[in-house]
Amino acid sequence: MSESQSAPKRVTLREIARMKRDGEKLVVVTAYDVLFARVVDASGVDIVLVGDSLGNVVAGLDSTLPVKLDHMIYHGAAVRRGVRRAFLVVDMPFLSYQASIERAILNAGRIMQETSADAVKLEGGSREAVDTVSALIRTGIPVMAHLGFTPQSVRALGMRVQGRERGDADRLTEEAIALEDAGAFAIVLELLPADVAKQITAAVSIPTIGIGAGPHCDGQVLVLPDLLGLNDGFEPKFLKKYANLAGDARAAVEKYADEVRSGAYPDASHSN
Ligand code: KIV
């Protein structure tokens, strides 16, 4: 069997825990479809997240609130077909886990059964969220947690850096510890001051994954179309664009249009 056919060694929960212990940074990126899933998996990232940010970057919505469980399952299953090596996490969307623990178990169970994800992610550090994490872990479903700016609460929080009020750092640290005690295997820290993320990262033995939370987290996550420069006009301070795919794609489609109009494409070499 050639190397390309043989299954690559998969990233596991044990490996993720080891990376935190050994001080190795975790690389996390989102994906929403099979083609980009193949690309990011082949690039050697550690974790692929099917984020409910698909509401923004796939559907063009102004928040993640309208994203439904069926949307996450559809995209999660597509991404699964492209991910062979990385650890695959699928977001639980708004209202799929907040109403009751029983619904959270059934909905997380559907994600695991219908996408073959390795884990789910849910937002928040309230007592209810911690109890839900604990119940999912007891059911055998690994959970990634998410603190700081939690996009499903955007109407209540506003889209702004969290953790700046007196007492916030200690409250968030306590929440992170409670989520670790409940069994979460990692915590996303979104839009937090760097010193707050540093305090949380030092307080827990599971990895913290930052986005807009400075350099002291154990890993980083970015939304794929943002890092590829495909999401024109989205320019938050924390974002670094590693490509200009919007510009490149526009140029390619313009060239295609020119060639169709001029008759240069298709030519004899593209005809049967
Ligand atoms: O939905 C998402 O893509 C996320 C990341 C920004 C962490 O939750």
Side-chain angles (χ1 to χ4, degrees):
M1 200 188 294
S2 75
E3 205 180 317
S4 62
Q5 287 171 311
S6 65
K9 193 165 175 291
R10 288 173 68 157
V11 178
T12 59
L13 286 173
R14 187 184 288 258
E15 174 68 359
I16 290 167
R18 182 201 65 71
M19 289 175 76
K20 164 95 182 191
R21 275 198 310 277
D22 293 352
E24 280 178 36
K25 292 278 188 187
L26 276 139
V27 182
V28 186
V29 71
T30 68
Y32 313 97
D33 63 50
V34 67
L35 298 184
F36 275 120
R38 280 187 202 142
V39 169
V40 296
D41 196 49
S43 68
V45 301
D46 302 301
I47 300 177
V48 175
L49 169 67
V50 185
D52 60 355
S53 51
L54 66 82
N56 306 92
V57 295
V58 175
L61 299 164
D62 75 345
S63 81
T64 60
L65 297 182
V67 176
K68 305 273 195 334
L69 186 64
D70 285 344
H71 300 141
M72 296 310 304
I73 289 175
Y74 182 82
H75 287 273
V79 170
R80 171 80 281 170
R81 291 179 206 114
V83 171
R84 299 200 309 154
R85 178 189 164 278
F87 192 85
L88 179 62
V89 182
V90 174
D91 253 341
M92 297 196 71
F94 182 56
L95 287 189
S96 69
Y97 58 93
Q98 292 94 338
S100 74
I101 286 184
E102 189 184 353
R103 268 177 69 179
I105 293 173
L106 293 172
N107 289 333
R110 268 197 70 197
I111 290 177
M112 300 298 282
Q113 285 186 318
E114 296 178 40
T115 72
S116 298
D118 297 308
V120 298
K121 175 165 84 60
L122 58 83
E123 297 180 2
S126 63
R127 174 45 49 201
E128 289 77 13
V130 170
D131 287 347
T132 301
V133 170
S134 181
L136 293 179
I137 301 293
R138 283 197 305 274
T139 312
I141 301 174
V143 182
M144 177 183 261
H146 187 153
L147 291 176
F149 173 67
T150 44
Q152 292 172 18
S153 304
V154 65
R155 301 288 185 248
L157 298 175
M159 193 183 166
R160 59 183 179 82
V161 175
Q162 303 295 305
R164 285 197 164 133
E165 306 293 320
R166 200 182 158 81
D168 277 354
D170 289 342
R171 175 184 53 79
L172 285 160
T173 303
E174 280 164 24
E175 288 178 358
I177 292 169
L179 288 162
E180 174 177 10
D181 289 346
F185 73 89
I187 309 177
V188 169
L189 300 180
E190 182 162 358
L191 292 187
L192 286 177
D195 57 338
V196 175
K198 186 177 183 184
Q199 173 176 325
I200 297 170
T201 300
V204 293
S205 58
I206 54 174
T208 58
I209 311 293
I211 173 164
H216 307 296
C217 296
D218 300 303
Q220 292 293 320
V221 57
L222 280 178
V223 167
L224 187 64
D226 298 347
L227 89 86
L228 293 178
L230 194 54
N231 191 6
D232 259 355
F234 185 64
E235 319 265 344
K237 184 173 174 214
F238 68 80
L239 176 61
K240 181 166 177 185
K241 298 187 180 185
Y242 288 85
N244 176 20
L245 247 54
D248 291 348
R250 248 189 326 267
V253 177
E254 280 166 13
K255 183 151 196 254
Y256 162 70
D258 285 348
E259 293 195 359
V260 169
R261 290 183 185 122
S262 71
Y265 176 82
D267 60 13
S269 72
H270 297 102
S271 304
N272 297 313

